[in-house]
Amino acid sequence: LSMGRKLDEDLLDDLEEKLLTADMGPTTAMSVMDSVKDAYKKKEFEDPEGLYEHLKRDLASRLQQNVTPLASVEGGVTVILVVGVNGTGKTTSIAKLTHLLTSEGKKVLLAACDTFRAAAVEQLDLWATRTGVEIVKHSSGADPAAVAFDAAEAAVARKVDYLIVDTAGRLHTKENLMKELEKIGKVLRGKIDTAPHEVLLVLDATTGQNAIIQAQAFNESVPLTGLILSKLDGTAKAGVIFGIQNEVDVPVKFIGLGEKQEDLERFSAPQFVEAMFE
Amino acid sequence: SLTKNLQGAFSFFRKRGHLTEDNIKEGMREVRKALLEADVNIKVVKDFIKKVTERAIGEDTLKSVRPEQQIVKIVQDELEELMGPVGGYINFSGGSPTVIMMAGLQGSGKTTTCAKMCKYLVKKGKKPFLVAADLQRPAAIDQLEVLGKDLGIPVYSERDGGRAPKVCQRGVKEAQRLGMDVVILDTAGRLHVDEALMEELQEIRDKTKPQETFLVCDAMTGQDAVQSAREFNSRLELSGVILTKLDGDARGGAALSIKTVTGKPIKFVGVGEKTSDFDEFHPDRMASRILG
Ligand SMILES: Nc1nc2c(ncn2[C@@H]2O[C@H](COP(=O)(O)OP(=O)(O)OP(=O)(O)O)[C@@H](O)[C@H]2O)c(=O)[nH]1
Ligand SMILES: Nc1nc2c(ncn2[C@@H]2O[C@H](COP(=O)(O)OP(=O)(O)OP(=O)(O)O)[C@@H](O)[C@H]2O)c(=O)[nH]1
Ligand SMILES: [Mg+2]
Ligand SMILES: [Mg+2]
């Protein structure tokens, strides 16, 4: 099926609609469409199959420049701070990360720094039990920075490999809450050199263009080292990730594919792009 | 802003004389861009643009001194009309107690909204009762019990491995026995593509016959809003929608997508994490927010 001397209008409209439906956003979708038309002019493909193969390679390459594994401090505690807006899957992602690390023989300690939301500590505590790790927690309403301080101290004393810090969901528009996050980061750094070594922003795959603003805002408070895209087992495609990478140079490190502790995978750009067009 | 972008587009056209119908269509590309940036679903955007283009041409914006202002007004009016009416009403008739079921995707704000609804109902002189029907999320029952305790609202729960539909049925019976007049069912978050869990939701509805079935949806949801809303609606016949986390800066285009695709009214909005952060839905405010 050749496309003749110019790209079929229907094919292009169809492709653009796919990109937009995947939450790529109008500006990013337009730039992708321009590069597709450019590649066609340069005869880089000749038929619809070729177009899609070219496109998938192009998109995957946009996500692959900065793929890095999880930080790992030699002979010391690696501190992972998990942040994000309300309900994105932070606590559950921590359970999954814990399961992944313990299955690789690492010793993990959890810090219950969401001292605000109803039963947040209980939720993480249950996950600690299920994954077989210890947890540092205070009573509800305690200062999250105080919990972080105690947890960092305990992590060093108990010689754990990873300290994972759970924080309360917070909208990036709430300045006092973003300040609180900075304070947690500072306290961790005060107790453990160069901590936090990983700052992972958990983004809900169903989120639209606001994800770009979230990434920018959180990055300003606590420099991000990675993203976790949760709930990719749904029908949302998280195409907003392309817009994010234009603004914040932070790689996706993991994806969440369900509600159980096993439902976490390391990010693979080609697999992610393939799933976008399924 | 949209007005500025339209102005820019039209000043370019105006340089060559009067605006034409084609110029209006070109200007509509700015409206399309604004709506897509606001997360309105692309198919909904396409239909919407057709409608407002016809209206703009029909209302003679071509001859207007400030066509961009007239077009923005048409867009605003059309958005308001499509997302209306003003919310805030609950169907209290036909059941004793009135049963309200909260459903939606994971993390959308259902449990918190149950508590907010209780506080709202108490203000309206009702005696609400909570049923903890999320039997799968760790500490979900604890979460509802803490919220209930803070508000002085009784919470019905079962911790011995029952099934959600039965728990809900027994919860409603308990509310009847205690003479409570509204029961709110907090269900587990679930994917609209999870066949078994969507059937469970239908079973809860069949066993409790709710007067109100709300889809609780996060205001920052993108294009996927139509997929999930359509499926929840076709399974449950929703009575309304509650949009949460509007205290953020998401434009909230999902509101238009959901209303268009389900036809169901958006009745309430969540505007914070406190139980008092709960308002009736106002289509005019939502329209301005979407336009940015
Ligand atoms: N289907 C699916 N559900 C998920 C995934 N990750 C988390 N969830 C669910 O999303 C809901 C919210 O998860 P939490 O871990 O409580 O989210 P959170 O970010 O810690 O929430 P807050 O602390 O309240 O801000 C729960 O019902 C989880 O089971 C995922 O990858 N897939
Ligand atoms: N800022 C803000 N946060 C909200 C709002 N509504 C809910 N939240 C927060 O969003 C997060 C998720 O709320 P939940 O009530 O646990 O959501 P859920 O739908 O019951 O989650 P699952 O039961 O896991 O599906 C919590 O951190 C809430 O405090 C709102 O209107 N504004
Ligand atoms: Mg949490
Ligand atoms: Mg819940």
mmCIF file of all heavy atoms in Angstrom, chain B residues 196-217:
data_model
loop_
_atom_site.group_PDB
_atom_site.id
_atom_site.type_symbol
_atom_site.label_atom_id
_atom_site.label_comp_id
_atom_site.label_asym_id
_atom_site.label_seq_id
_atom_site.Cartn_x
_atom_site.Cartn_y
_atom_site.Cartn_z
ATOM 1 N N ALA B 196 -14.148 -8.024 36.248
ATOM 2 C CA ALA B 196 -14.653 -8.571 37.514
ATOM 3 C C ALA B 196 -15.046 -7.453 38.484
ATOM 4 O O ALA B 196 -16.107 -7.511 39.131
ATOM 5 C CB ALA B 196 -13.613 -9.477 38.152
ATOM 6 N N LEU B 197 -14.205 -6.435 38.580
ATOM 7 C CA LEU B 197 -14.504 -5.353 39.523
ATOM 8 C C LEU B 197 -15.649 -4.469 39.053
ATOM 9 O O LEU B 197 -16.412 -3.932 39.863
ATOM 10 C CB LEU B 197 -13.247 -4.515 39.803
ATOM 11 C CG LEU B 197 -12.216 -5.209 40.700
ATOM 12 C CD1 LEU B 197 -11.054 -4.263 41.017
ATOM 13 C CD2 LEU B 197 -12.847 -5.699 42.001
ATOM 14 N N MET B 198 -15.805 -4.312 37.739
ATOM 15 C CA MET B 198 -16.931 -3.534 37.236
ATOM 16 C C MET B 198 -18.233 -4.306 37.483
ATOM 17 O O MET B 198 -19.264 -3.721 37.818
ATOM 18 C CB MET B 198 -16.756 -3.221 35.744
ATOM 19 C CG MET B 198 -15.624 -2.237 35.441
ATOM 20 S SD MET B 198 -15.704 -0.677 36.386
ATOM 21 C CE MET B 198 -17.004 0.203 35.504
ATOM 22 N N GLU B 199 -18.171 -5.621 37.375
ATOM 23 C CA GLU B 199 -19.358 -6.435 37.682
ATOM 24 C C GLU B 199 -19.686 -6.343 39.160
ATOM 25 O O GLU B 199 -20.861 -6.322 39.553
ATOM 26 C CB GLU B 199 -19.110 -7.897 37.293
ATOM 27 C CG GLU B 199 -19.232 -8.117 35.796
ATOM 28 C CD GLU B 199 -19.064 -9.568 35.391
ATOM 29 O OE1 GLU B 199 -19.038 -10.451 36.291
ATOM 30 O OE2 GLU B 199 -18.948 -9.816 34.177
ATOM 31 N N GLU B 200 -18.645 -6.278 39.996
ATOM 32 C CA GLU B 200 -18.863 -6.158 41.440
ATOM 33 C C GLU B 200 -19.632 -4.868 41.733
ATOM 34 O O GLU B 200 -20.551 -4.828 42.559
ATOM 35 C CB GLU B 200 -17.523 -6.156 42.182
ATOM 36 C CG GLU B 200 -17.669 -5.944 43.669
ATOM 37 C CD GLU B 200 -16.336 -5.721 44.379
ATOM 38 O OE1 GLU B 200 -15.849 -4.571 44.401
ATOM 39 O OE2 GLU B 200 -15.806 -6.706 44.926
ATOM 40 N N LEU B 201 -19.253 -3.812 41.034
ATOM 41 C CA LEU B 201 -19.915 -2.520 41.225
ATOM 42 C C LEU B 201 -21.396 -2.621 40.843
ATOM 43 O O LEU B 201 -22.273 -2.067 41.521
ATOM 44 C CB LEU B 201 -19.199 -1.484 40.359
ATOM 45 C CG LEU B 201 -19.005 -0.062 40.886
ATOM 46 C CD1 LEU B 201 -18.525 -0.027 42.317
ATOM 47 C CD2 LEU B 201 -18.014 0.662 39.983
ATOM 48 N N GLN B 202 -21.660 -3.332 39.749
ATOM 49 C CA GLN B 202 -23.051 -3.508 39.318
ATOM 50 C C GLN B 202 -23.827 -4.300 40.366
ATOM 51 O O GLN B 202 -24.995 -4.027 40.632
ATOM 52 C CB GLN B 202 -23.105 -4.238 37.960
ATOM 53 C CG GLN B 202 -22.724 -3.331 36.801
ATOM 54 C CD GLN B 202 -22.618 -4.070 35.475
ATOM 55 O OE1 GLN B 202 -21.850 -5.015 35.348
ATOM 56 N NE2 GLN B 202 -23.368 -3.621 34.492
ATOM 57 N N GLU B 203 -23.138 -5.273 40.970
ATOM 58 C CA GLU B 203 -23.791 -6.083 41.994
ATOM 59 C C GLU B 203 -24.109 -5.237 43.240
ATOM 60 O O GLU B 203 -25.181 -5.397 43.855
ATOM 61 C CB GLU B 203 -22.883 -7.266 42.364
ATOM 62 C CG GLU B 203 -23.626 -8.379 43.073
ATOM 63 C CD GLU B 203 -22.709 -9.495 43.560
ATOM 64 O OE1 GLU B 203 -21.600 -9.643 43.012
ATOM 65 O OE2 GLU B 203 -23.121 -10.204 44.492
ATOM 66 N N ILE B 204 -23.200 -4.350 43.599
ATOM 67 C CA ILE B 204 -23.443 -3.448 44.734
ATOM 68 C C ILE B 204 -24.683 -2.613 44.445
ATOM 69 O O ILE B 204 -25.568 -2.430 45.289
ATOM 70 C CB ILE B 204 -22.229 -2.533 45.006
ATOM 71 C CG1 ILE B 204 -21.039 -3.350 45.504
ATOM 72 C CG2 ILE B 204 -22.577 -1.449 46.027
ATOM 73 C CD1 ILE B 204 -19.751 -2.550 45.688
ATOM 74 N N ARG B 205 -24.736 -2.095 43.207
ATOM 75 C CA ARG B 205 -25.877 -1.259 42.833
ATOM 76 C C ARG B 205 -27.176 -2.053 42.866
ATOM 77 O O ARG B 205 -28.194 -1.595 43.390
ATOM 78 C CB ARG B 205 -25.660 -0.670 41.439
ATOM 79 C CG ARG B 205 -26.742 0.341 41.049
ATOM 80 C CD ARG B 205 -26.824 0.519 39.576
ATOM 81 N NE ARG B 205 -26.941 -0.776 38.923
ATOM 82 C CZ ARG B 205 -26.993 -0.946 37.618
ATOM 83 N NH1 ARG B 205 -26.909 0.100 36.829
ATOM 84 N NH2 ARG B 205 -27.094 -2.136 37.098
ATOM 85 N N ASP B 206 -27.146 -3.285 42.325
ATOM 86 C CA ASP B 206 -28.357 -4.107 42.300
ATOM 87 C C ASP B 206 -28.836 -4.429 43.716
ATOM 88 O O ASP B 206 -30.038 -4.476 43.971
ATOM 89 C CB ASP B 206 -28.094 -5.423 41.551
ATOM 90 C CG ASP B 206 -27.826 -5.175 40.066
ATOM 91 O OD1 ASP B 206 -28.163 -4.064 39.588
ATOM 92 O OD2 ASP B 206 -27.263 -6.065 39.411
ATOM 93 N N LYS B 207 -27.894 -4.648 44.638
ATOM 94 C CA LYS B 207 -28.281 -5.027 45.994
ATOM 95 C C LYS B 207 -28.721 -3.838 46.852
ATOM 96 O O LYS B 207 -29.426 -4.011 47.835
ATOM 97 C CB LYS B 207 -27.110 -5.731 46.704
ATOM 98 C CG LYS B 207 -26.893 -7.164 46.242
ATOM 99 C CD LYS B 207 -25.949 -7.922 47.184
ATOM 100 C CE LYS B 207 -26.155 -9.431 47.103
ATOM 101 N NZ LYS B 207 -25.872 -9.988 45.758
ATOM 102 N N THR B 208 -28.288 -2.619 46.515
ATOM 103 C CA THR B 208 -28.603 -1.482 47.383
ATOM 104 C C THR B 208 -29.488 -0.430 46.719
ATOM 105 O O THR B 208 -29.967 0.482 47.391
ATOM 106 C CB THR B 208 -27.307 -0.787 47.870
ATOM 107 O OG1 THR B 208 -26.589 -0.291 46.717
ATOM 108 C CG2 THR B 208 -26.420 -1.744 48.629
ATOM 109 N N LYS B 209 -29.699 -0.538 45.423
ATOM 110 C CA LYS B 209 -30.541 0.392 44.670
ATOM 111 C C LYS B 209 -30.330 1.859 45.066
ATOM 112 O O LYS B 209 -31.218 2.505 45.611
ATOM 113 C CB LYS B 209 -32.032 0.034 44.877
ATOM 114 C CG LYS B 209 -32.361 -1.453 44.695
ATOM 115 C CD LYS B 209 -33.278 -1.676 43.512
ATOM 116 C CE LYS B 209 -33.665 -3.130 43.309
ATOM 117 N NZ LYS B 209 -32.500 -4.000 43.014
ATOM 118 N N PRO B 210 -29.149 2.405 44.794
ATOM 119 C CA PRO B 210 -28.858 3.777 45.227
ATOM 120 C C PRO B 210 -29.709 4.829 44.508
ATOM 121 O O PRO B 210 -30.056 4.658 43.338
ATOM 122 C CB PRO B 210 -27.375 3.968 44.869
ATOM 123 C CG PRO B 210 -26.925 2.740 44.170
ATOM 124 C CD PRO B 210 -28.042 1.792 44.042
ATOM 125 N N GLN B 211 -30.058 5.883 45.218
ATOM 126 C CA GLN B 211 -30.754 7.018 44.605
ATOM 127 C C GLN B 211 -29.739 7.867 43.840
ATOM 128 O O GLN B 211 -30.078 8.545 42.875
ATOM 129 C CB GLN B 211 -31.426 7.892 45.676
ATOM 130 C CG GLN B 211 -32.785 7.388 46.143
ATOM 131 C CD GLN B 211 -32.690 6.079 46.888
ATOM 132 O OE1 GLN B 211 -31.788 5.897 47.709
ATOM 133 N NE2 GLN B 211 -33.603 5.165 46.611
ATOM 134 N N GLU B 212 -28.489 7.893 44.323
ATOM 135 C CA GLU B 212 -27.437 8.645 43.653
ATOM 136 C C GLU B 212 -26.225 7.744 43.452
ATOM 137 O O GLU B 212 -25.780 7.087 44.393
ATOM 138 C CB GLU B 212 -26.998 9.862 44.492
ATOM 139 C CG GLU B 212 -28.043 10.956 44.661
ATOM 140 C CD GLU B 212 -28.131 11.910 43.473
ATOM 141 O OE1 GLU B 212 -27.373 11.761 42.498
ATOM 142 O OE2 GLU B 212 -28.983 12.816 43.527
ATOM 143 N N THR B 213 -25.733 7.696 42.216
ATOM 144 C CA THR B 213 -24.485 6.971 41.934
ATOM 145 C C THR B 213 -23.535 7.976 41.322
ATOM 146 O O THR B 213 -23.746 8.438 40.199
ATOM 147 C CB THR B 213 -24.734 5.816 40.943
ATOM 148 O OG1 THR B 213 -25.701 4.930 41.504
ATOM 149 C CG2 THR B 213 -23.440 5.043 40.700
ATOM 150 N N PHE B 214 -22.514 8.346 42.088
ATOM 151 C CA PHE B 214 -21.590 9.373 41.630
ATOM 152 C C PHE B 214 -20.306 8.783 41.068
ATOM 153 O O PHE B 214 -19.699 7.908 41.684
ATOM 154 C CB PHE B 214 -21.203 10.307 42.783
ATOM 155 C CG PHE B 214 -22.286 11.269 43.175
ATOM 156 C CD1 PHE B 214 -22.922 11.150 44.409
ATOM 157 C CD2 PHE B 214 -22.673 12.290 42.315
ATOM 158 C CE1 PHE B 214 -23.927 12.034 44.775
ATOM 159 C CE2 PHE B 214 -23.676 13.176 42.679
ATOM 160 C CZ PHE B 214 -24.310 13.051 43.907
ATOM 161 N N LEU B 215 -19.893 9.323 39.914
ATOM 162 C CA LEU B 215 -18.546 9.043 39.434
ATOM 163 C C LEU B 215 -17.667 10.125 40.058
ATOM 164 O O LEU B 215 -17.918 11.321 39.869
ATOM 165 C CB LEU B 215 -18.462 9.125 37.908
ATOM 166 C CG LEU B 215 -17.045 9.004 37.333
ATOM 167 C CD1 LEU B 215 -16.483 7.610 37.571
ATOM 168 C CD2 LEU B 215 -17.019 9.326 35.849
ATOM 169 N N VAL B 216 -16.682 9.715 40.856
ATOM 170 C CA VAL B 216 -15.766 10.676 41.467
ATOM 171 C C VAL B 216 -14.533 10.720 40.576
ATOM 172 O O VAL B 216 -13.829 9.722 40.407
ATOM 173 C CB VAL B 216 -15.389 10.247 42.904
ATOM 174 C CG1 VAL B 216 -14.389 11.216 43.511
ATOM 175 C CG2 VAL B 216 -16.655 10.175 43.760
ATOM 176 N N CYS B 217 -14.290 11.892 39.986
ATOM 177 C CA CYS B 217 -13.224 11.997 38.988
ATOM 178 C C CYS B 217 -12.251 13.126 39.308
ATOM 179 O O CYS B 217 -12.653 14.214 39.690
ATOM 180 C CB CYS B 217 -13.872 12.219 37.619
ATOM 181 S SG CYS B 217 -12.680 12.362 36.309
#
